[in-house]
Amino acid sequence: MKPPEPFRPDPALKSLYYAYLAIGIAVGGLSWMLPVALAGFTMLPFEQASLITACLFLPALVILLITSWWIPRYYASISYQLGNQEIVIERGVYWKHRHFVPYNRVTNIDLMQGPLSRAYGLGTVRVQTAGYSSASSGTSHAEAVILGVRNFEALKDVILTEV
């Protein structure tokens, strides 16, 4: 029997990641960098204020550019396959990861959808297995995380049917 074809997250996952990036820059960077730069230009000579502003904004720009380069590559690296015996998940831009989760070990499936994910119509399916989930740390850890799918409820049902 031929294994089912792999599938990818919905393309809206890239847009969701860009939205996270924009929020991160706005809240984590611009919220304090703009007031500091404005204060510098009102209190210091123009050359010093310009240098301080460049020192503040250039690292943020580098982070923005690297992350903007990384998002489409990360998206392209993600692949899911619901095989006959197991779930196979592949992802990774620099370090390639391939996770195999046998259906006979699945104990729990969680669905997650944050406010932004909901706005994009995306959800996450987290598959946990017996013995491995919380053995060492005492916290719940999913062995299989299927990100950015629109039909996450139906996907959960398909996985539960295999279990």
Side-chain angles (χ1 to χ4, degrees):
M1 181 170 166
K2 182 183 172 204
E5 292 295 317
F7 63 97
R8 296 196 176 281
D10 192 276
L13 183 64
K14 290 187 284 188
S15 299
L16 177 64
Y17 283 162
Y18 284 119
Y20 286 146
L21 176 61
I23 290 170
I25 287 186
V27 172
L30 296 179
S31 64
W32 65 270
M33 287 192 287
L34 284 176
V36 169
L38 290 174
F41 279 108
T42 58
M43 297 179 179
L44 299 172
F46 182 80
E47 294 80 21
Q48 288 179 339
S50 298
L51 181 62
I52 290 172
T53 302
C55 289
L56 289 175
F57 284 94
L58 282 178
L61 180 62
V62 168
I63 291 169
L64 174 70
L65 293 174
I66 289 172
T67 307
S68 295
W69 173 87
W70 177 84
I71 288 172
R73 282 155 186 80
Y74 180 68
Y75 172 81
S77 77
I78 301 172
S79 171
Y80 309 116
Q81 185 172 9
L82 302 178
N84 296 328
Q85 303 290 322
E86 63 196 359
I87 301 168
V88 181
I89 298 176
E90 298 181 44
R91 68 171 57 116
V93 175
Y94 304 116
W95 290 271
K96 304 289 184 182
H97 298 276
R98 183 179 289 168
H99 301 281
F100 299 89
V101 179
Y103 291 120
N104 63 0
R105 303 260 321 182
V106 173
T107 59
N108 191 34
I109 297 177
D110 295 325
L111 302 178
M112 294 177 45
Q113 191 180 40
L116 272 181
S117 297
R118 194 172 312 117
Y120 283 91
L122 302 176
T124 298
V125 179
R126 296 170 49 93
V127 179
Q128 298 176 358
T129 63
Y132 184 74
S133 294
S134 59
S136 62
S137 64
T139 61
S140 178
H141 170 74
E143 284 73 42
V145 179
I146 302 174
L147 301 166
V149 289
R150 286 203 186 275
N151 55 348
F152 56 97
E153 291 274 353
L155 184 59
K156 174 197 72 143
D157 293 339
V158 168
I159 294 170
L160 285 175
T161 301
E162 293 297 325
V163 172

